[in-house]
Amino acid sequence: MKKITPIFRIFDEDKAKEFYVDFLEFRMDWEHRYEDDLPLYMQVSSGDCEIHLSGHHGDCTPGSAIRVEVVDIQSLHAKLIAKKYKHARPGLEDMEVSVTDPFGNRITFFERKDA
């Protein structure tokens, strides 16, 4: 097996981009729509971490959770706190930083204690 690509359900494209691109600083890799008036499906990434975001009913369930291993969790935490994002001020506990997107999906960034 190789890597996995989680899919998170989104309901508002602007809020999704504000959270994933502006706050978390993920890169917008691509966007896809079957037609102009249909929901957006897109990929964001940071390093080797790729997440698909879908506005399509039935692709996934809001309120999902993933864990993402990072290097230097303290720097990530400091960067996120410095942004003063009005919807999230995550703490750092036991080498983990958890954030919840505007649609109830949770991402827990963690650094291995043995690293």
Side-chain angles (χ1 to χ4, degrees):
M1 289 186 219
K2 299 235 179 184
K3 68 179 184 169
I4 64 163
T5 305
I7 305 171
F8 280 159
R9 182 74 151 86
I10 61 170
F11 299 98
D12 182 302
E13 298 167 18
D14 292 333
K15 286 182 181 179
K17 290 175 183 178
E18 177 186 34
F19 181 80
Y20 287 96
V21 177
D22 298 340
F23 178 54
L24 294 183
E25 296 184 7
F26 275 62
R27 180 177 60 252
M28 174 71 67
D29 295 326
W30 49 261
E31 297 181 347
H32 172 74
R33 279 181 215 283
Y34 287 104
E35 294 180 21
D36 289 341
D37 62 343
L38 290 177
L40 178 67
Y41 191 93
M42 63 182 169
Q43 177 178 296
V44 295
S45 66
S46 180
D48 291 334
C49 176
E50 296 175 347
I51 301 173
H52 286 193
L53 305 173
S54 177
H56 293 271
H57 174 76
D59 274 356
C60 45
T61 303
S64 296
I66 61 172
R67 292 176 49 81
V68 178
E69 184 176 357
V70 299
V71 175
D72 196 359
I73 191 75
Q74 292 163 333
S75 290
L76 173 63
H77 177 252
K79 179 173 70 171
L80 294 178
I81 291 298
K83 288 180 173 274
K84 297 187 185 222
Y85 180 60
K86 64 183 174 180
H87 302 294
R89 303 280 169 92
L92 173 62
E93 188 173 325
D94 295 325
M95 301 302 282
E96 293 185 353
V97 172
S98 289
V99 294
T100 302
D101 77 6
F103 321 103
N105 302 300
R106 188 177 68 249
I107 304 172
T108 299
F109 299 99
F110 72 97
E111 183 173 350
R112 292 198 187 274
K113 294 179 183 184
D114 57 357

